[in-house]
């Protein structure tokens, strides 16, 4: 089904494909946008939590008397005050505050509500908690060793295990001309949104709970609050505040909103809970660290014909979305290889006493892409072929059904490879004589696949958009999906405006309010453009159809002779006065017998398959698959081990760039985040305690530490996509780390298989090289 | 932050009196950039803050050829960087101040506050040690003078007596024609220097007359490496000499070891930074190697 | 609780307020003056989301007590529009993708004003150095740098 309808549009009205400033620019640029912590209501209290200083300990006693007695303190509550039901995404194991034992440093133990933040913080200093430390589960290897203490009883510290096998893997490896195996390790990345998580919650006069939160997933949050508090879903209302970045961290795993909702419900008073940055480092879900063992077999044509993957991933102390993350790491990247039929996958997710891990931009993709692209570069070298050519030879194409059942309506991987090669000057740079001085340049590249949408939460991956035309002829859109800065609202406004041939400024997109917005899963899995975009187009067309019908009836002109342009409908031929404005039509739509407000609801649920319902995970999970590639030129200082990125070019196959300004922005931001993960960011733990939970010591990329990232767009025109578009928010996060690792190898011959790529590791690799060379010389002498 | 009283005395004597009376419960506040971090994390919980904002005589930059440069302790880093006096006569100091931390901290933080906080991972102490800065410490008992290297005694610890105020930083009249303050970050995204190294020298062509070399940020206090200075003195600068002196520097210092870098790595990097800085004494090629 | 009285001019308007001595300048601006455009993003003075102009110079309002601003003039993001018109930097940020989530944006705008005050024709390297006290997670800084360069050109009238 193709929805390319631009031909029907009039003149210059459409902004589809044109750089379009964000629809919320005015409020964000003038400081008027209200983020989670900017909002307040009369009588509002301020919440702070006391977190566990132990990674694993029994709670012996909690003395809250002194804290409760502090003037200005309204409540000092502990786990015993929380509802005793356990909640969680799948496995129900989490209570709002810890009871009986704590499982990670930072786990929420006591919550205080007071007249202001300072008083709440003063009260925390007065709470006395006695703990009995327990042995730690330090890491995932220890977790799964026999005899290790359990983080959760009767789990064996195994959260989930996947085993998938397709074809005849052993004979495929036996057929292979070359087999290579290696192990890669990735570290946790903190999402690093600039707005620490913040919530305001209160109880309305009718007893209903209202939660105004910074969230990507208002409806999923509503479901979660209702479950945790034992309330009917209808008694909970979630309103999305302006979201100051999310990157996967503001879905259904963070606990700020849950604790705030519970406290407000319990006290019957408005409560605000704004995370400090340390709160956020300790309470947010960072990405799971994974150890990925890869074995790949290639035939004598350089085609990948066999693959085996084993992943051990660190879930941390509680299970949330990490099970899905692991599934993605395990399965998705195989679908880049056109000729792969025989594959064996084994994934295990282990509970440890690290903070819980979960969804972060890329959702398991970055981990797998680092391993895969490093591995493919190693294979290409062994094969003696150019790595870009190696990936191109194996690249899936539109029309393919992949090894795990992905049906590719569009696939721009090859075009991405071509574009980044051209962009960075791959051939020229590759042909250059290797540098031999103190600073050596090298180039590297990587490619990746990602989903646009993912049928994974029950058998619906739809999106609903409600459009109302007000009596001035303007449109208001409601959606359950969120704009966290990625430009979703602008995209929706563009789609709807385009269908109605009105300026984007005539469309207002409302933040999600679960009481009035249509149901939606929210902004996850790069799903909003392809799903909500289609729904917005349908809504726009439906409005247009109704306007045309009414105009035709009113003007007495057949619809086919009417033109829609500039917010008016008029007869195409010779009758200049026979025209009606959208405003006039919207009024007529109401003011007539049986009239009603011009309001439509449109849904798009893609023709995809719930693969997670099958043990073998087979099936077409997404209506579209995005691709990306990145090429990097680095300069490695052989004396300091420092890596400077001289140049980088990232290409994103987003199907069609509805708003190139937003797509470039997403691509550059994602690439920056991957550079941070590869070179600069490392959550440092000692005995499961985070040592650098602040921005001074957990160093995200600064303006000075990044090159001017160049980004390119590939428009593969996805048949399922709105005007051909797919998701563009996550894919470019995937290739960066491996591209840098490959470039470092090209520069100095040191292969880093463990992220992050630190100066110390590079220097160690160079020393090893020298030692090997020296030993060789001695042998020859 | 815990609650505190905020006091605003107007003379050094009043400040000193308050400090003497309130003792450990009291902290001075100048720009506040460092103190605020500690207060907000409740690492320090004073009952009183003594503001220096209204105290007379703590501002301004003056120069005379006999006494050299005098910088009031409340002078911000940005003011040091902008001062024509400093730029003309002590370009190494102006350059250090102009690249310190970030624009906001340069506008808010003061030179005196930086020294009193004695945070080893900052730039001014190293640079000022190489410039042989003398600090003026005032109290109700009078004034005393202390070289900055004697003032900085340990990790976050200075020789400031409980009733004393740092009022002025004095730097002798310049006698070096070369100055460079090297700042080394472990990665480009880090905010604090892993190592800094200040080198001052008098040169006659490519022969070093006299040198001052101080390493900081990676040692608890700035460390002057006299042995390296001695090796440089009277020698023609060559790649070999730079290596020789850098080895002396690397061996002479006692690097800290923490989550930002182990001591062996730090020592290796000090060697590299020292050699590269010394090579700056003479003309280099694009790779940083000495020409000739 | 220890309280102090301060007089400050914020966005051209004089204010006199009695506040707790421990109130941060950022909290004074946000909670007492209701100017929530100024953001708090960290406790370590690194992120720069709280940046405001103090007597025309960019500072971090989370690294200062409100009482320290006594007698000074403060400009926040709310004070840089004139007569309902966006500041050229604000307009440029919209046009060139200088923001996404918008949370770092008020601080970025303040840093950008300081950059252009210092040098009306900055190089890209100078712009990046001028942003070293401000973090953004969304843009990779590409759009921000472009926005500032473009605004500089426009403001120079070339």
């Amino acid at each position: 089904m193709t929805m390319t309808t631009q031909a029907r549009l009039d003149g210059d009205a459409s902004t589809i494909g044109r750089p379009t400033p964000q629809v919320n620019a005015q409020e964000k640029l003038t400081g008027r946008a209200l983020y989670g912590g900017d909002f307040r209501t009369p009588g509002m209290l301020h919440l702070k939590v006391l977190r566990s200083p132990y990674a694993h300990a029994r709670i012996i006693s909690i003395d809250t008397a002194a804290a409760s007695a502090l003037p200005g303190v309204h409540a000092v509550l502990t786990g015993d005050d929380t509802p005793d039901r356990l909640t969680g995404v799948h496995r129900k194991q989490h209570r709002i505050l810890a009871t009986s034992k704590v499982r990670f440093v930072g786990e929420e133990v006591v919550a205080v509500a007071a007249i202001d933040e300072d008083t709440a913080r003063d009260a925390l200093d007065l709470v006395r908690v006695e703990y009995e430390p327990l042995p730690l589960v330090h890491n995932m290897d220890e977790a799964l060793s026999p005899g290790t203490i359990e983080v959760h009883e009767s789990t064996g510290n195994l959260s989930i295990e996947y085993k998938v096998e397709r074809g005849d893997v052993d004979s495929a490896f036996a057929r292979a001309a070359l087999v290579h195996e290696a192990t890669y390790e990735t570290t946790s990345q903190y999402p690093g949104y600039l707005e620490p998580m913040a919530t305001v919650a209160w109880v309305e006069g009718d007893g209903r709970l209202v939660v105004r939160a910074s969230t990507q997933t208002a409806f999923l949050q509503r479901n979660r609050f209702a479950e945790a508090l034992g309330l009917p879903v209808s008694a909970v209302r979630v309103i999305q505040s302006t979201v100051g970045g999310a990157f996967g961290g503001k879905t259904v795993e963070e606990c700020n909103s849950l604790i705030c909702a519970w406290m407000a419900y319990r006290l019957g008073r408005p409560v605000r809970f704004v995370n400090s940055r340390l709160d956020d480092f300790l309470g947010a879900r960072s990405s799971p660290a994974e150890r990925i063992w890869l074995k790949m077999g290639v035939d004598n044509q350089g085609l990948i014909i066999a693959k085996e993957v084993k992943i051990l991933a660190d879930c941390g102390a509680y299970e949330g979305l990490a099970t899905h993350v692991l599934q993605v790491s395990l399965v998705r990247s195989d679908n880049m290889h056109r000729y792969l039929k025989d594959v064996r996958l084994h994934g295990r997710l282990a509970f440890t006493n690290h903070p819980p891990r979960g969804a972060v931009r890329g959702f398991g993709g970055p981990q797998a892409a680092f391993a895969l692209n490093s591995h493919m570069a190693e294979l290409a070298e062994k094969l003696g072929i150019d790595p870009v050519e190696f990936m191109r030879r194996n690249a899936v194409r539109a029309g393919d059904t992949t090894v795990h059942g992905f049906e590719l309506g569009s696939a721009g991987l090859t075009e991405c490879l071509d574009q980044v090669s051209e962009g960075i000057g791959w051939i020229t740079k590759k042909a250059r004589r290797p540098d031999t001085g103190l600073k050596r340049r090298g180039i590297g590249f990587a490619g990746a696949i990602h989903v646009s949408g993912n049928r994974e939460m029950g058998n619906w991956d739809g999106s609903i958009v409600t459009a109302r035309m007000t009596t001035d002829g303007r449109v208001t859109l409601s959606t359950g999906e969120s704009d966290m800065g990625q430009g979703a609202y602008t995209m929706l406004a563009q789609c709807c405006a385009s269908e109605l041939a009105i300026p984007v400024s005539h469309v207002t997109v409302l933040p999600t309010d679960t009481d009035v917005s249509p149901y939606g899963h929210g902004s996850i899995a790069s799903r909003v453009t392809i799903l909500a975009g289609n729904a917005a187009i349908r809504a726009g067309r439906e409005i247009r159809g109704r306007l045309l019908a009414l105009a035709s009836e009113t003007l007495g002109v057949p619809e086919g002779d009417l033109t829609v342009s500039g917010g008016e409908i008029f007869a195409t031929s010779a009758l200049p006065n026979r025209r009606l404005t959208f405003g006039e039509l919207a009024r007529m739509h109401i003011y007539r017998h049986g009239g009603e407000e011009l309001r439509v609801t449109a849904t798009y649920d893609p023709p995809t398959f719930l693969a997670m319902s099958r043990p073998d995970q087979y099936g077409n999970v997404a209506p579209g698959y995005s691709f990306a590639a990145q090429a990097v030129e680095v300069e490695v200082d052989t004396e300091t081990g420092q890596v400077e990125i001289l140049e980088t070019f990232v290409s994103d196959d987003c199907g069609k760039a509805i708003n190139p300004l937003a797509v470039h922005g997403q691509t550059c931001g994602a690439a920056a985040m991957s550079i941070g993960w590869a070179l600069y960011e490392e959550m440092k733990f000692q005995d499961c305690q985070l040592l650098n939970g602040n921005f001074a010591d957990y160093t995200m990329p600064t303006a000075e530490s990044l090159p001017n990232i160049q980004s390119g767009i590939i428009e593969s025109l996805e048949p399922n996509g709105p005007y051909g578009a797919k998701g563009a928010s996550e894919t470019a996060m995937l290739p960066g780390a491996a591209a840098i690792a490959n470039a470092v190898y090209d520069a100095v011959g040191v292969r880093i298989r463990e992220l992050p790529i630190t100066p110390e590791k590079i220097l160690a690799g160079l020393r090893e090289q020298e030692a090997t060379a020296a030993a060789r010389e001695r042998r020859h002498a | 932050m815990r609650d505190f009283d905020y006091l605003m005395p107007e003379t050094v004597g009043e400040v000193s009196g308050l400090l003497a009376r309130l003792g450990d419960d009291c902290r001075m506040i100048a720009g506040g950039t460092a103190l605020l971090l500690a207060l907000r994390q409740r690492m320090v919980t004073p009952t009183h803050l003594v503001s220096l904002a209204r105290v007379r005589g703590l501002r301004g930059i003056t120069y005379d050829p006999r006494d050299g440069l005098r910088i009031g302790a409340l002078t911000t880093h940005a003011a040091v960087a902008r001062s024509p006096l400093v730029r003309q006569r002590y370009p190494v100091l102006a350059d250090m101040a102009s690249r310190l931390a970030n624009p906001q901290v340069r506008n808010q933080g003061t030179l005196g506050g930086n020294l009193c906080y004695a945070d080893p991972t900052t730039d001014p102490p190293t640079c000022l040690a190489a410039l042989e800065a003398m600090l003026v410490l005032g109290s109700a008992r009078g004034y005393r003078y202390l070289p900055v290297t004697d003032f900085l005694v340990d990790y976050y610890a200075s020789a400031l007596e409980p009733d004393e105020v740092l009022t002025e930083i004095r730097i002798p009249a310049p006698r070096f024609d070369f100055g460079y303050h090297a700042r080394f970050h472990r990665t480009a995204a880090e905010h604090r220097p892993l190592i800094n190294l200040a080198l001052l020298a008098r040169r006659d062509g490519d022969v070093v007359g006299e040198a001052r070399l101080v390493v900081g940020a990676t040692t608890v206090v700035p460390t002057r490496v006299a042995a390296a200075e001695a090796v440089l003195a009277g020698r023609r600068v060559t790649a070999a000499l730079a290596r020789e002196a850098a080895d002396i520097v690397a061996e002479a210092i006692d690097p800290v070891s923490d989550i930002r870098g182990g001591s062996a790595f730090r020592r290796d990097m000090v060697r590299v930074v020292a050699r590269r800085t010394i090579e700056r004494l003479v003309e280099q090629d694009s790779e940083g190697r000495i020409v000739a | 609780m220890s309280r102090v009285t301060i007089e400050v001019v914020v966005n051209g308007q004089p204010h006199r307020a009695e506040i707790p001595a421990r109130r941060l300048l950022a909290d004074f601006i946000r909670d007492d003056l209701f100017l929530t455009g100024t953001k708090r993003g960290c406790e370590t003075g690194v992120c720069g989301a709280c940046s405001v102009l103090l007597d025309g110079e960019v500072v971090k309002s989370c690294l200062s007590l409100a009482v320290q601003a006594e007698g000074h003039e403060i400009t926040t993001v709310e004070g840089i529009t004139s007569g309902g018109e966006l500041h050229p930097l604000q307009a440029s940020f919209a046009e060139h993708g200088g923001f996404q989530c918008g949370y770092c944006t008020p601080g970025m705008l303040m840093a950008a004003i300081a950059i252009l005050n210092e040098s009306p024709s900055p190089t890209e390297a100078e712009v990046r150095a001028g942003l070293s006290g401000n973090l953004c997670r969304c843009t990779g800084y590409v759009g921000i740098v472009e926005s500032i360069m473009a605004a500089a050109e426009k403001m120079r009238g070339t």
Side-chain angles (χ1 to χ4, degrees), chain A residues 332-393:
Chain A
R332 193 168 295 158
S333 70
D334 295 348
N335 301 287
M336 288 167 68
H337 314 313
R338 187 155 210 244
Y339 304 99
L340 182 65
K341 299 282 177 272
D342 303 293
V343 59
R344 184 184 295 138
L345 310 173
H346 183 205
R348 289 176 302 160
L349 182 66
F351 289 118
T352 68
N353 289 118
H354 280 126
R357 306 289 167 70
V360 175
R361 188 184 219 168
F363 203 76
Q367 292 93 322
F370 171 66
L372 174 71
N373 283 285
S374 300
H375 204 74
M376 285 186 70
E378 294 175 45
L379 270 168
E381 189 185 23
K382 289 184 178 217
L383 288 165
I385 59 177
D386 183 86
V388 181
E389 171 55 25
F390 180 43
M391 186 168 285
R392 191 184 281 122
R393 211 177 277 183

Side-chain angles (χ1 to χ4, degrees), chain A residues 391-631:
Chain A
M391 186 168 285
R392 191 184 281 122
R393 211 177 277 183
N394 284 282
V396 285
R397 298 177 204 164
D400 287 356
T401 296
T402 66
V403 61
H404 297 303
F406 292 7
E407 294 163 19
L408 307 180
S410 63
L413 178 56
T414 305
E415 292 77 5
C416 285
L417 299 177
D418 292 343
Q419 194 180 54
V420 300
S421 302
E422 172 86 30
I424 201 131
W426 182 266
I427 291 167
T428 316
K429 285 179 173 151
K430 199 75 200 169
R432 205 162 53 187
R433 203 139 36 96
D435 293 335
T436 52
L438 292 179
K439 296 186 177 182
R440 301 181 195 167
R441 291 165 300 169
I443 55 172
F445 105 100
I449 183 173
H450 195 70
V451 291
S452 304
N454 189 359
R455 188 167 292 252
E456 58 181 342
M457 282 182 287
N459 203 4
W460 187 69
D461 194 26
S463 183
I464 311 168
V465 168
T466 296
R468 300 163 71 182
M469 183 165 274
T470 43
T471 51
D472 56 357
R474 309 242 169 154
V475 177
T476 306
L477 295 183
S478 297
T479 168
E481 330 301 356
S482 164
D483 193 321
M484 310 88 80
Q486 83 279 38
Y489 290 176
T490 309
M491 177 276 299
L492 292 174
Q494 285 180 272
C495 289
C496 183
S498 178
E499 292 301 320
L500 289 166
I502 53 176
V504 168
S505 62
H506 287 197
V507 182
T508 302
V509 187
L510 300 175
T512 303
D513 174 341
T514 58
D515 269 7
V516 292
S517 305
Y519 190 80
H521 284 163
S523 297
I524 47 177
S526 295
R527 63 194 294 280
V528 179
T529 295
I530 201 163
L531 302 171
N534 273 327
I537 289 174
R538 289 180 176 186
R541 280 188 198 159
E542 176 74 22
I543 293 238
R544 180 190 169 101
R546 298 232 201 141
L547 290 170
L548 276 168
L550 188 56
S552 169
E553 184 190 320
T554 310
L555 297 174
V557 177
E559 281 185 36
D561 293 336
L562 291 173
T563 294
V564 180
S565 180
E568 294 181 323
I569 296 183
F570 49 86
T572 309
S573 57
L575 298 161
N577 291 328
R578 307 189 75 175
R579 61 178 61 221
L580 288 164
T581 65
F582 283 4
E584 287 167 331
L585 286 163
R587 281 191 294 279
M588 283 179 199
H589 202 269
I590 300 171
Y591 291 103
R592 52 178 176 157
H593 283 287
E596 59 172 3
E597 183 189 37
L598 181 43
R599 175 184 185 123
V600 305
T601 293
T603 301
Y604 176 75
D605 185 29
T608 50
F609 183 76
L610 184 64
M612 288 196 90
S613 67
R614 286 170 55 143
D616 71 351
Q617 313 289 316
Y618 186 89
N620 185 38
V621 296
Y625 299 88
S626 304
F627 295 85
Q630 182 169 359

Side-chain angles (χ1 to χ4, degrees), chain A residues 81-118:
Chain A
D81 300 310
T82 61
D84 57 10
R85 73 178 53 72
L86 300 174
T87 59
V89 179
H90 297 292
R91 197 190 289 259
K92 310 297 179 189
Q93 56 184 189
H94 181 262
R95 200 154 154 177
I96 296 171
L97 296 174
T99 50
S100 72
K101 82 170 184 172
V102 289
R103 296 179 172 87
F104 68 97
V105 174
E107 181 159 9
E108 299 85 355
V109 178
V110 178
V112 170
I115 48 162
D116 59 34
E117 274 197 8
D118 280 329

Side-chain angles (χ1 to χ4, degrees), chain A residues 36-362:
Chain A
D38 294 336
F39 189 77
R40 58 175 156 188
T41 66
M44 186 177 82
L45 299 175
H46 297 260
L47 196 155
K48 283 276 152 196
V49 300
L50 188 67
R51 297 173 180 278
S52 168
Y54 290 96
H56 203 190
R58 236 177 274 292
I59 299 170
I60 303 299
S61 65
I62 303 178
D63 179 357
T64 60
S68 303
L70 189 72
V73 171
H74 284 250
V76 183
L77 302 180
T78 72
D80 290 337
D81 300 310
T82 61
D84 57 10
R85 73 178 53 72
L86 300 174
T87 59
V89 179
H90 297 292
R91 197 190 289 259
K92 310 297 179 189
Q93 56 184 189
H94 181 262
R95 200 154 154 177
I96 296 171
L97 296 174
T99 50
S100 72
K101 82 170 184 172
V102 289
R103 296 179 172 87
F104 68 97
V105 174
E107 181 159 9
E108 299 85 355
V109 178
V110 178
V112 170
I115 48 162
D116 59 34
E117 274 197 8
D118 280 329
T119 306
R121 184 69 185 71
D122 290 342
L124 291 186
D125 287 350
L126 300 174
V127 175
R128 294 284 165 267
V129 185
E130 194 189 333
Y131 295 96
E132 177 197 334
L134 294 167
L136 298 188
V137 182
H138 290 88
N139 55 56
M140 53 200 185
D141 295 304
E142 193 179 294
L144 300 182
S145 301
T148 300
I149 189 171
E150 290 182 316
V151 179
H152 298 278
E153 273 178 33
S154 313
T155 58
N157 290 328
L158 184 66
S159 156
I160 199 165
E161 182 164 22
Y162 297 97
K163 281 183 180 172
V164 173
E165 183 154 359
R166 283 190 229 298
D168 185 347
V169 181
D170 294 328
S171 65
F173 273 117
R175 276 202 320 277
L178 174 68
V179 175
H180 177 56
E181 59 178 88
T183 304
Y184 306 86
E185 289 203 35
T186 69
T187 43
S188 270
Q189 185 173 33
Y190 171 65
Y193 37 73
L194 260 285
E195 179 207 20
M197 186 59 206
T199 310
V200 181
W202 65 93
V203 178
E204 292 282 340
D206 60 4
R208 296 174 75 238
L209 172 67
V210 185
V211 186
R212 190 179 186 281
S214 180
T215 180
Q216 302 171 237
T217 56
F219 279 92
L220 299 183
Q221 285 281 64
R222 182 185 68 172
N223 299 349
R224 175 191 184 209
F225 300 148
E227 181 190 28
L229 301 179
L231 295 170
V233 167
S234 58
V236 181
R237 174 184 181 192
V238 176
I239 301 169
Q240 181 205 309
S241 64
T242 305
V243 182
F247 311 112
K250 296 178 179 174
T251 60
V252 290
E253 299 181 292
E254 54 75 33
C255 294
N256 168 292
S257 59
L258 179 60
I259 295 170
C260 187
W262 162 69
M263 180 67 92
Y265 189 71
R266 172 150 177 138
L267 300 185
R269 273 189 75 156
V271 176
R272 182 161 89 187
F273 184 16
V274 180
N275 274 4
S276 70
R277 185 55 68 179
L278 179 61
D279 276 327
D280 213 89
F281 264 99
L282 296 173
R285 301 305 183 245
S286 299
S287 62
E290 298 185 2
R291 184 186 307 132
I292 304 174
W293 176 85
L294 262 184
K295 180 178 170 188
M296 288 172 73
V298 181
D299 73 6
N300 55 18
Q301 307 294 307
L303 303 181
I304 298 163
I305 55 167
K307 189 173 180 184
E308 184 171 1
V309 186
K310 289 182 206 166
I311 303 180
L312 179 56
D314 188 341
C315 182
Y318 289 93
E319 184 187 294
L321 291 164
T323 55
H324 289 221
V325 173
L326 173 60
Q327 193 268 359
V328 168
S329 292
L330 211 53
V331 172
R332 193 168 295 158
S333 70
D334 295 348
N335 301 287
M336 288 167 68
H337 314 313
R338 187 155 210 244
Y339 304 99
L340 182 65
K341 299 282 177 272
D342 303 293
V343 59
R344 184 184 295 138
L345 310 173
H346 183 205
R348 289 176 302 160
L349 182 66
F351 289 118
T352 68
N353 289 118
H354 280 126
R357 306 289 167 70
V360 175
R361 188 184 219 168

Side-chain angles (χ1 to χ4, degrees), chain A residues 22 28-29 31 35 37-38 40 122 190-191 194 244-245 247 276-278 484-485 665-666 669 681 701 703-704 706, chain C residues 22 30-31 34 37 39 41 43 46 77 86 90 93-94 99-103 105 109 128-129 132 137-141:
Chain A
Q22 284 206 35
K28 286 185 173 178
L29 288 163
Y35 295 81
D38 294 336
R40 58 175 156 188
D122 290 342
Y190 171 65
L194 260 285
F247 311 112
S276 70
R277 185 55 68 179
L278 179 61
M484 310 88 80
Q666 285 294 300
E681 298 173 34
E704 284 185 294
L706 290 174
Chain C
R22 64 172 166 172
R30 289 174 50 78
D31 298 339
F34 304 96
K39 302 302 182 198
E43 294 84 55
V46 174
V77 69
L86 290 181
Q90 291 172 306
F93 269 56
F99 75 96
Q100 287 175 29
C101 86
Y103 199 80
T105 308
L109 287 166
R128 287 180 182 269
S132 60
R137 189 58 146 179
C138 293
T139 62
Y141 305 97

